[in-house]
Amino acid sequence: MSLIQSFKLVLSPPHRAATPFLAAGAAVALLGRLTPWRCTRALGKAGLAFSAFCLYFFRDPNRFPPQDDSLVIAPADGRVTGISLVAPPTALEMGNTPVWRVSIFLSVLDVHINRMPAAGKVTKVAYHAGKFLNASLDKASEHNERNELRLTLADGRNIGVVQIAGLIARRILCFVNEGDAVEAGERFGLIRFGSRTDVYLPAGIEPLVEKGQTMTGGETVLARL
């Protein structure tokens, strides 16, 4: 990534989900500015710092998905922490045959907007309350708070996408509903703050990425259908 691209990424406007956090930080900063007490001035500085962090965390850069319907693309920024053959989540009703799962871990420094890995129709959404273990752990896929989606492609095959809350994350946002038609790279959710996103590929489809590889949501190719 070039220096110019890096600056554009950092300076990307925030997603609307940042609004209440930015408002809270601004209110605290204003309080510190308008009152004469030393303790509130320190609080005001903390409010400014919090607002700056939220501007960075909720940044929402434009992405440019490959114009190829045969590709599955990364649903999130971050690092691939696991690639394994496992059965899809039961709630997604994708059968019991093991398929390839690619797990992407998002640190608080990554862009946290989730994007659709392919074009299709959302045919299942299943939310599960749960724990807040370190999202990089394999057992987080079963025990943590998570939101599961089944994406049905035009040819009838299914892709599973799971948003998993992490150690710090306490809120999963999903912007789509069952029955929605979506495009590859379309924004579908957000997880605050630090999380993991899993992709379950269709049966017989192998991933084209490796463990430890860095992903760019909406652009990096995960697999070819």
Side-chain angles (χ1 to χ4, degrees):
M1 181 181 293
S2 68
L3 185 60
I4 294 177
Q5 289 176 316
S6 298
F7 274 116
K8 286 183 177 180
L9 177 61
V10 172
L11 298 176
S12 299
H15 189 270
R16 62 182 181 275
T19 301
F21 297 92
L22 293 173
V28 173
L30 183 61
L31 176 65
R33 182 73 174 178
L34 296 179
T35 55
W37 305 295
R38 181 176 299 177
C39 61
T40 53
R41 287 200 296 270
L43 190 62
K45 292 179 180 179
L48 282 175
F50 178 73
S51 294
F53 168 75
C54 288
L55 282 172
Y56 181 77
F57 178 85
F58 286 99
R59 64 198 188 282
D60 184 11
N62 290 323
R63 294 287 164 79
F64 304 94
Q67 299 302 300
D68 186 342
D69 291 339
S70 70
L71 299 178
V72 179
I73 56 178
D77 288 36
R79 181 172 55 87
V80 176
T81 56
I83 300 176
S84 53
L85 270 172
V86 296
T90 304
L92 293 185
E93 301 174 352
M94 291 172 55
N96 298 320
T97 302
V99 297
W100 285 104
R101 180 183 69 192
V102 178
S103 300
I104 303 171
F105 177 74
L106 297 78
S107 76
V108 294
L109 300 179
D110 289 311
V111 172
H112 271 62
I113 299 296
N114 290 140
R115 297 172 181 271
M116 283 294 173
K121 185 176 182 179
V122 179
T123 52
K124 189 73 174 181
V125 178
Y127 170 79
H128 304 270
K131 300 178 181 180
F132 298 97
L133 305 173
N134 187 328
S136 64
L137 299 176
D138 189 61
K139 60 184 178 181
S141 62
E142 297 181 9
H143 299 298
N144 278 26
E145 178 183 0
R146 60 198 183 279
N147 189 57
E148 302 168 345
L149 294 91
R150 185 180 68 211
L151 176 65
T152 301
L153 309 179
D155 62 8
R157 287 184 290 180
N158 294 308
I159 296 176
V161 186
V162 183
Q163 301 168 282
I164 303 174
L167 187 65
I168 303 174
R170 287 296 185 273
R171 177 64 170 159
I172 295 175
L173 302 179
C174 183
F175 311 143
V176 296
N177 299 298
E178 291 184 13
D180 287 352
V182 295
E183 297 296 328
E186 181 178 331
R187 299 167 176 85
F188 78 85
L190 169 71
I191 315 176
R192 306 189 303 242
F193 293 89
S195 53
R196 181 174 128 193
T197 304
D198 287 349
V199 178
Y200 293 81
L201 298 173
I205 302 301
E206 297 187 2
L208 299 177
V209 296
E210 298 179 349
K211 188 174 180 179
Q213 187 173 338
T214 299
M215 301 288 99
T216 299
E219 293 185 352
T220 303
V221 175
L222 284 187
R224 183 175 292 276
L225 295 169

